[in-house]
PDB file of all heavy atoms in Angstrom:
ATOM      1  N   ASN A 156       8.775 -36.913  75.021  1.00  0.00           N
ATOM      2  CA  ASN A 156       7.812 -37.989  75.223  1.00  0.00           C
ATOM      3  C   ASN A 156       6.707 -37.876  74.178  1.00  0.00           C
ATOM      4  O   ASN A 156       5.777 -37.082  74.332  1.00  0.00           O
ATOM      5  CB  ASN A 156       7.240 -37.903  76.637  1.00  0.00           C
ATOM      6  CG  ASN A 156       6.326 -39.080  76.948  1.00  0.00           C
ATOM      7  OD1 ASN A 156       6.329 -40.092  76.249  1.00  0.00           O
ATOM      8  ND2 ASN A 156       5.536 -38.951  78.001  1.00  0.00           N
ATOM      9  N   GLY A 157       6.816 -38.630  73.080  1.00  0.00           N
ATOM     10  CA  GLY A 157       5.837 -38.586  72.004  1.00  0.00           C
ATOM     11  C   GLY A 157       5.928 -37.346  71.148  1.00  0.00           C
ATOM     12  O   GLY A 157       5.038 -37.091  70.329  1.00  0.00           O
ATOM     13  N   THR A 158       6.989 -36.566  71.308  1.00  0.00           N
ATOM     14  CA  THR A 158       7.145 -35.324  70.559  1.00  0.00           C
ATOM     15  C   THR A 158       8.580 -35.178  70.048  1.00  0.00           C
ATOM     16  O   THR A 158       9.499 -35.816  70.556  1.00  0.00           O
ATOM     17  CB  THR A 158       6.816 -34.095  71.420  1.00  0.00           C
ATOM     18  OG1 THR A 158       7.830 -33.946  72.429  1.00  0.00           O
ATOM     19  CG2 THR A 158       5.462 -34.230  72.072  1.00  0.00           C
ATOM     20  N   ILE A 159       8.733 -34.308  69.054  1.00  0.00           N
ATOM     21  CA  ILE A 159      10.062 -33.896  68.588  1.00  0.00           C
ATOM     22  C   ILE A 159      10.038 -32.387  68.390  1.00  0.00           C
ATOM     23  O   ILE A 159       9.125 -31.847  67.748  1.00  0.00           O
ATOM     24  CB  ILE A 159      10.458 -34.604  67.278  1.00  0.00           C
ATOM     25  CG1 ILE A 159      10.721 -36.090  67.555  1.00  0.00           C
ATOM     26  CG2 ILE A 159      11.697 -33.949  66.654  1.00  0.00           C
ATOM     27  CD1 ILE A 159      11.101 -36.887  66.329  1.00  0.00           C
ATOM     28  N   ALA A 160      11.009 -31.708  68.978  1.00  0.00           N
ATOM     29  CA  ALA A 160      11.128 -30.257  68.864  1.00  0.00           C
ATOM     30  C   ALA A 160      12.143 -29.923  67.776  1.00  0.00           C
ATOM     31  O   ALA A 160      13.245 -30.481  67.743  1.00  0.00           O
ATOM     32  CB  ALA A 160      11.564 -29.656  70.192  1.00  0.00           C
ATOM     33  N   LEU A 161      11.767 -29.020  66.865  1.00  0.00           N
ATOM     34  CA  LEU A 161      12.621 -28.601  65.756  1.00  0.00           C
ATOM     35  C   LEU A 161      12.960 -27.125  65.907  1.00  0.00           C
ATOM     36  O   LEU A 161      12.142 -26.323  66.378  1.00  0.00           O
ATOM     37  CB  LEU A 161      11.906 -28.805  64.419  1.00  0.00           C
ATOM     38  CG  LEU A 161      11.406 -30.214  64.095  1.00  0.00           C
ATOM     39  CD1 LEU A 161      10.554 -30.189  62.832  1.00  0.00           C
ATOM     40  CD2 LEU A 161      12.579 -31.167  63.926  1.00  0.00           C
ATOM     41  N   SER A 162      14.151 -26.751  65.461  1.00  0.00           N
ATOM     42  CA  SER A 162      14.524 -25.339  65.397  1.00  0.00           C
ATOM     43  C   SER A 162      15.475 -25.147  64.226  1.00  0.00           C
ATOM     44  O   SER A 162      16.161 -26.080  63.809  1.00  0.00           O
ATOM     45  CB  SER A 162      15.167 -24.876  66.702  1.00  0.00           C
ATOM     46  OG  SER A 162      16.399 -25.554  66.920  1.00  0.00           O
ATOM     47  N   TRP A 163      15.521 -23.910  63.668  1.00  0.00           N
ATOM     48  CA  TRP A 163      16.364 -23.618  62.519  1.00  0.00           C
ATOM     49  C   TRP A 163      16.664 -22.127  62.471  1.00  0.00           C
ATOM     50  O   TRP A 163      16.087 -21.321  63.222  1.00  0.00           O
ATOM     51  CB  TRP A 163      15.690 -24.082  61.229  1.00  0.00           C
ATOM     52  CG  TRP A 163      14.333 -23.474  60.986  1.00  0.00           C
ATOM     53  CD1 TRP A 163      14.026 -22.311  60.323  1.00  0.00           C
ATOM     54  CD2 TRP A 163      13.076 -24.004  61.437  1.00  0.00           C
ATOM     55  NE1 TRP A 163      12.676 -22.086  60.336  1.00  0.00           N
ATOM     56  CE2 TRP A 163      12.064 -23.105  61.005  1.00  0.00           C
ATOM     57  CE3 TRP A 163      12.714 -25.132  62.164  1.00  0.00           C
ATOM     58  CZ2 TRP A 163      10.717 -23.316  61.285  1.00  0.00           C
ATOM     59  CZ3 TRP A 163      11.371 -25.333  62.446  1.00  0.00           C
ATOM     60  CH2 TRP A 163      10.384 -24.447  62.004  1.00  0.00           C
ATOM     61  N   THR A 164      17.550 -21.740  61.566  1.00  0.00           N
ATOM     62  CA  THR A 164      17.934 -20.343  61.391  1.00  0.00           C
ATOM     63  C   THR A 164      16.986 -19.671  60.401  1.00  0.00           C
ATOM     64  O   THR A 164      16.627 -20.260  59.383  1.00  0.00           O
ATOM     65  CB  THR A 164      19.375 -20.236  60.872  1.00  0.00           C
ATOM     66  OG1 THR A 164      20.255 -20.908  61.795  1.00  0.00           O
ATOM     67  CG2 THR A 164      19.811 -18.785  60.717  1.00  0.00           C
ATOM     68  N   ALA A 165      16.588 -18.435  60.689  1.00  0.00           N
ATOM     69  CA  ALA A 165      15.664 -17.702  59.815  1.00  0.00           C
ATOM     70  C   ALA A 165      16.255 -17.557  58.414  1.00  0.00           C
ATOM     71  O   ALA A 165      17.451 -17.325  58.243  1.00  0.00           O
ATOM     72  CB  ALA A 165      15.370 -16.331  60.400  1.00  0.00           C
ATOM     73  N   ALA A 166      15.397 -17.703  57.396  1.00  0.00           N
ATOM     74  CA  ALA A 166      15.810 -17.597  55.997  1.00  0.00           C
ATOM     75  C   ALA A 166      15.455 -16.226  55.442  1.00  0.00           C
ATOM     76  O   ALA A 166      14.363 -15.708  55.712  1.00  0.00           O
ATOM     77  CB  ALA A 166      15.138 -18.687  55.160  1.00  0.00           C
ATOM     78  N   THR A 167      16.344 -15.642  54.650  1.00  0.00           N
ATOM     79  CA  THR A 167      16.109 -14.330  54.052  1.00  0.00           C
ATOM     80  C   THR A 167      14.877 -14.364  53.154  1.00  0.00           C
ATOM     81  O   THR A 167      14.738 -15.240  52.310  1.00  0.00           O
ATOM     82  CB  THR A 167      17.319 -13.891  53.220  1.00  0.00           C
ATOM     83  OG1 THR A 167      18.475 -13.862  54.058  1.00  0.00           O
ATOM     84  CG2 THR A 167      17.103 -12.515  52.607  1.00  0.00           C
ATOM     85  N   GLY A 168      13.975 -13.416  53.360  1.00  0.00           N
ATOM     86  CA  GLY A 168      12.787 -13.305  52.529  1.00  0.00           C
ATOM     87  C   GLY A 168      11.619 -14.158  52.970  1.00  0.00           C
ATOM     88  O   GLY A 168      10.550 -14.100  52.357  1.00  0.00           O
ATOM     89  N   ALA A 169      11.772 -14.943  54.028  1.00  0.00           N
ATOM     90  CA  ALA A 169      10.709 -15.868  54.441  1.00  0.00           C
ATOM     91  C   ALA A 169       9.610 -15.150  55.202  1.00  0.00           C
ATOM     92  O   ALA A 169       9.878 -14.330  56.082  1.00  0.00           O
ATOM     93  CB  ALA A 169      11.285 -16.992  55.290  1.00  0.00           C
ATOM     94  N   ALA A 170       8.359 -15.468  54.883  1.00  0.00           N
ATOM     95  CA  ALA A 170       7.203 -14.999  55.650  1.00  0.00           C
ATOM     96  C   ALA A 170       6.709 -16.093  56.583  1.00  0.00           C
ATOM     97  O   ALA A 170       6.122 -15.813  57.624  1.00  0.00           O
ATOM     98  CB  ALA A 170       6.084 -14.564  54.715  1.00  0.00           C
ATOM     99  N   SER A 171       6.933 -17.353  56.218  1.00  0.00           N
ATOM    100  CA  SER A 171       6.551 -18.498  57.035  1.00  0.00           C
ATOM    101  C   SER A 171       7.391 -19.695  56.611  1.00  0.00           C
ATOM    102  O   SER A 171       8.219 -19.599  55.696  1.00  0.00           O
ATOM    103  CB  SER A 171       5.056 -18.806  56.889  1.00  0.00           C
ATOM    104  OG  SER A 171       4.749 -19.160  55.542  1.00  0.00           O
ATOM    105  N   TYR A 172       7.148 -20.835  57.270  1.00  0.00           N
ATOM    106  CA  TYR A 172       7.939 -22.036  57.000  1.00  0.00           C
ATOM    107  C   TYR A 172       7.028 -23.261  56.942  1.00  0.00           C
ATOM    108  O   TYR A 172       6.071 -23.373  57.715  1.00  0.00           O
ATOM    109  CB  TYR A 172       8.993 -22.254  58.095  1.00  0.00           C
ATOM    110  CG  TYR A 172       9.975 -21.113  58.212  1.00  0.00           C
ATOM    111  CD1 TYR A 172       9.710 -20.045  59.062  1.00  0.00           C
ATOM    112  CD2 TYR A 172      11.145 -21.093  57.461  1.00  0.00           C
ATOM    113  CE1 TYR A 172      10.590 -18.985  59.169  1.00  0.00           C
ATOM    114  CE2 TYR A 172      12.031 -20.034  57.562  1.00  0.00           C
ATOM    115  CZ  TYR A 172      11.749 -18.984  58.413  1.00  0.00           C
ATOM    116  OH  TYR A 172      12.624 -17.934  58.506  1.00  0.00           O
ATOM    117  N   ASN A 173       7.338 -24.173  56.029  1.00  0.00           N
ATOM    118  CA  ASN A 173       6.670 -25.473  55.954  1.00  0.00           C
ATOM    119  C   ASN A 173       7.574 -26.535  56.559  1.00  0.00           C
ATOM    120  O   ASN A 173       8.783 -26.545  56.308  1.00  0.00           O
ATOM    121  CB  ASN A 173       6.371 -25.854  54.505  1.00  0.00           C
ATOM    122  CG  ASN A 173       5.261 -25.026  53.897  1.00  0.00           C
ATOM    123  OD1 ASN A 173       4.515 -24.351  54.600  1.00  0.00           O
ATOM    124  ND2 ASN A 173       5.141 -25.068  52.582  1.00  0.00           N
ATOM    125  N   VAL A 174       6.978 -27.436  57.350  1.00  0.00           N
ATOM    126  CA  VAL A 174       7.718 -28.536  57.964  1.00  0.00           C
ATOM    127  C   VAL A 174       7.268 -29.844  57.321  1.00  0.00           C
ATOM    128  O   VAL A 174       6.066 -30.124  57.245  1.00  0.00           O
ATOM    129  CB  VAL A 174       7.489 -28.589  59.483  1.00  0.00           C
ATOM    130  CG1 VAL A 174       8.230 -29.775  60.097  1.00  0.00           C
ATOM    131  CG2 VAL A 174       7.930 -27.279  60.137  1.00  0.00           C
ATOM    132  N   TYR A 175       8.227 -30.637  56.866  1.00  0.00           N
ATOM    133  CA  TYR A 175       7.951 -31.905  56.192  1.00  0.00           C
ATOM    134  C   TYR A 175       8.488 -33.050  57.050  1.00  0.00           C
ATOM    135  O   TYR A 175       9.599 -32.970  57.587  1.00  0.00           O
ATOM    136  CB  TYR A 175       8.606 -31.918  54.810  1.00  0.00           C
ATOM    137  CG  TYR A 175       8.191 -30.763  53.938  1.00  0.00           C
ATOM    138  CD1 TYR A 175       8.851 -29.540  54.011  1.00  0.00           C
ATOM    139  CD2 TYR A 175       7.117 -30.872  53.058  1.00  0.00           C
ATOM    140  CE1 TYR A 175       8.460 -28.460  53.231  1.00  0.00           C
ATOM    141  CE2 TYR A 175       6.722 -29.798  52.267  1.00  0.00           C
ATOM    142  CZ  TYR A 175       7.401 -28.595  52.364  1.00  0.00           C
ATOM    143  OH  TYR A 175       7.012 -27.526  51.590  1.00  0.00           O
ATOM    144  N   GLU A 176       7.708 -34.123  57.160  1.00  0.00           N
ATOM    145  CA  GLU A 176       8.035 -35.243  58.052  1.00  0.00           C
ATOM    146  C   GLU A 176       7.997 -36.564  57.295  1.00  0.00           C
ATOM    147  O   GLU A 176       7.159 -36.757  56.406  1.00  0.00           O
ATOM    148  CB  GLU A 176       7.037 -35.278  59.203  1.00  0.00           C
ATOM    149  CG  GLU A 176       7.157 -36.486  60.128  1.00  0.00           C
ATOM    150  CD  GLU A 176       5.946 -36.595  61.050  1.00  0.00           C
ATOM    151  OE1 GLU A 176       5.450 -35.540  61.520  1.00  0.00           O
ATOM    152  OE2 GLU A 176       5.480 -37.728  61.280  1.00  0.00           O
ATOM    153  N   GLY A 177       8.881 -37.482  57.675  1.00  0.00           N
ATOM    154  CA  GLY A 177       8.875 -38.826  57.115  1.00  0.00           C
ATOM    155  C   GLY A 177       9.338 -39.827  58.148  1.00  0.00           C
ATOM    156  O   GLY A 177       9.919 -39.460  59.177  1.00  0.00           O
ATOM    157  N   THR A 178       9.083 -41.091  57.880  1.00  0.00           N
ATOM    158  CA  THR A 178       9.528 -42.156  58.787  1.00  0.00           C
ATOM    159  C   THR A 178      10.722 -42.904  58.228  1.00  0.00           C
ATOM    160  O   THR A 178      11.145 -43.909  58.786  1.00  0.00           O
ATOM    161  CB  THR A 178       8.378 -43.138  59.053  1.00  0.00           C
ATOM    162  OG1 THR A 178       7.873 -43.625  57.793  1.00  0.00           O
ATOM    163  CG2 THR A 178       7.252 -42.462  59.808  1.00  0.00           C
ATOM    164  N   ALA A 179      11.271 -42.422  57.118  1.00  0.00           N
ATOM    165  CA  ALA A 179      12.489 -42.987  56.531  1.00  0.00           C
ATOM    166  C   ALA A 179      13.280 -41.838  55.915  1.00  0.00           C
ATOM    167  O   ALA A 179      12.717 -40.808  55.540  1.00  0.00           O
ATOM    168  CB  ALA A 179      12.152 -44.033  55.469  1.00  0.00           C
ATOM    169  N   ALA A 180      14.573 -42.012  55.822  1.00  0.00           N
ATOM    170  CA  ALA A 180      15.434 -40.974  55.248  1.00  0.00           C
ATOM    171  C   ALA A 180      14.995 -40.658  53.819  1.00  0.00           C
ATOM    172  O   ALA A 180      14.793 -41.558  53.007  1.00  0.00           O
ATOM    173  CB  ALA A 180      16.884 -41.420  55.268  1.00  0.00           C
TER     174      ALA A 180
END
Side-chain angles (χ1 to χ4, degrees):
N156 185 16
T158 69
I159 290 179
L161 303 172
S162 65
W163 58 89
T164 303
T167 302
S171 62
Y172 300 90
N173 288 345
V174 178
Y175 304 86
E176 173 192 322
T178 55

